[in-house]
Structures are given as structure tokens and as C-alpha cells.
Amino acid sequence: MDKKEPFYNQIEKWVIIILMIVMLVLLTITIVTRFLFSYTTSWTEQMTRLMLVWISFAGISWAGMLDVHMKVTAVSLLTKKNPQVFEYILIIGDLVATIYCFYLAYRIGITMQMTIEQYQVFTAMPWCPKWVMYLAGVLGMAGCGLRIVQRRVGYFKKRKGAANA
């Protein structure tokens, strides 16, 4: 029997699905109104770009969970004949990727803080603060770092359980 996946492992997937559906609906309405009524709203293009940013960073976080994030695998592939060295190189690669993700989340957070302090808003959407776009970067990069750690801890737990069995 398959073990049920926890809800927190599906957050990114549902963010991507929901935002893609909303983007599709918004763009369809915009195209229809533009060609049939010669009218278009000024905010739909900017809103869909904002949603694309959120989808991209949700995908980055999801990639960390699935172990398809960018990391150096060429060196580890050269050492595949020695499993212990291979595993150490993968661990170092995950460590570097995790540090990089948290560093980027921190730097994007600084930029987000500046936009909050300056009360910046989108030109076509004055009702939407610009920090919302940067929040996607903070959550996506921190999420990727956490997902890499989560995956690596799960790997070590499985390995320890298999050794004890």
C-alpha cells in the first residue's frame, strides 16, 4: 500500500496548478474582450506576469523536493565507481545548493524590505504592492533550501532504517 503524501509536499504543486488556471482564464478573457469589444484592462498583463513569477519560484521549491534542482553532478558521475565518494560529493552539492538558496532568499528579502519601506506599487495595479512579487522569491528560494534538507534527512532516515532491519 502506498504511503499517503503529506499535504506540505503538495503546496508547490497546487500553487502552480491554481495560478496556471487563473492565468489561462485572465488571458482568455483579455483576448476575447480585445478582439470582440476592442477593450482590454490595463492590469491583466501585469497580473499574469506576477503570477508567472510565483509559478517559477514555486517550481524552484518543488525542484528541491524532487532532487532536480541545479547542482554539480558531473564530478559525482566520474566517481560513480566508488559509491562512498559519489555519495559525499552529492552531499556536498546539496549543502552548497542549500546555502545558495538561503543566501538568495536573504538577498531577495532585503530587496523586498526596501520596496515595503518605499511603498512601491505596480504601475498598472496601484492596489497591489510590489513586495508581493519579491515575496515569491523569498518563499521559493527558502522553500528550495528547506526541501533539499527535507529530502536529504528523509534519505538518511531510510538508510538508517534499512541498516537496522
Side-chain angles (χ1 to χ4, degrees):
M1 186 163 108
D2 288 335
K3 190 172 146 181
K4 187 175 179 188
E5 189 176 10
F7 79 93
Y8 54 83
N9 280 349
Q10 299 181 20
I11 293 170
E12 296 94 341
K13 179 172 42 175
W14 284 107
V15 166
I16 292 168
I17 290 170
I18 290 168
L19 289 179
M20 285 294 266
I21 291 170
V22 173
M23 273 179 59
L24 178 69
V25 168
L26 273 176
L27 289 173
T28 302
I29 290 170
T30 300
I31 290 167
V32 168
T33 58
R34 180 178 293 150
F35 288 106
L36 291 181
F37 306 112
S38 296
Y39 173 78
T40 185
T41 56
S42 60
W43 58 270
T44 52
E45 184 180 343
Q46 200 144 40
M47 179 59 84
T48 54
R49 285 182 187 177
L50 179 62
M51 284 189 258
L52 186 61
V53 168
W54 274 85
I55 289 168
S56 299
F57 279 106
I60 289 170
S61 181
W62 197 15
M65 182 178 66
L66 299 176
D67 194 22
V68 293
H69 61 92
M70 289 181 60
K71 63 181 176 180
V72 178
T73 55
V75 176
S76 60
L77 291 175
L78 292 174
T79 61
K80 204 164 189 168
K81 292 178 183 173
N82 187 342
Q84 205 169 19
V85 173
F86 177 74
E87 188 172 323
Y88 285 132
I89 290 174
L90 288 180
I91 291 170
I92 291 169
D94 280 345
L95 181 64
V96 169
T98 302
I99 292 168
Y100 181 70
C101 287
F102 286 127
Y103 175 73
L104 276 180
Y106 169 73
R107 296 301 300 177
I108 296 169
I110 290 172
T111 305
M112 183 177 86
Q113 183 63 36
M114 285 190 306
T115 62
I116 290 171
E117 291 168 0
Q118 296 171 359
Y119 304 104
Q120 293 181 11
V121 295
F122 289 102
T123 309
M125 302 184 304
W127 44 267
C128 184
K130 204 174 254 190
W131 62 263
V132 172
M133 178 178 62
Y134 294 105
L135 180 61
V138 172
L139 294 176
M141 295 313 297
C144 183
L146 288 173
R147 294 304 196 165
I148 294 169
V149 170
Q150 174 192 12
R151 179 182 38 78
R152 187 51 71 179
V153 167
Y155 170 76
F156 284 129
K157 281 183 180 179
K158 280 183 188 175
R159 195 168 138 198
K160 186 177 179 184
N164 290 338

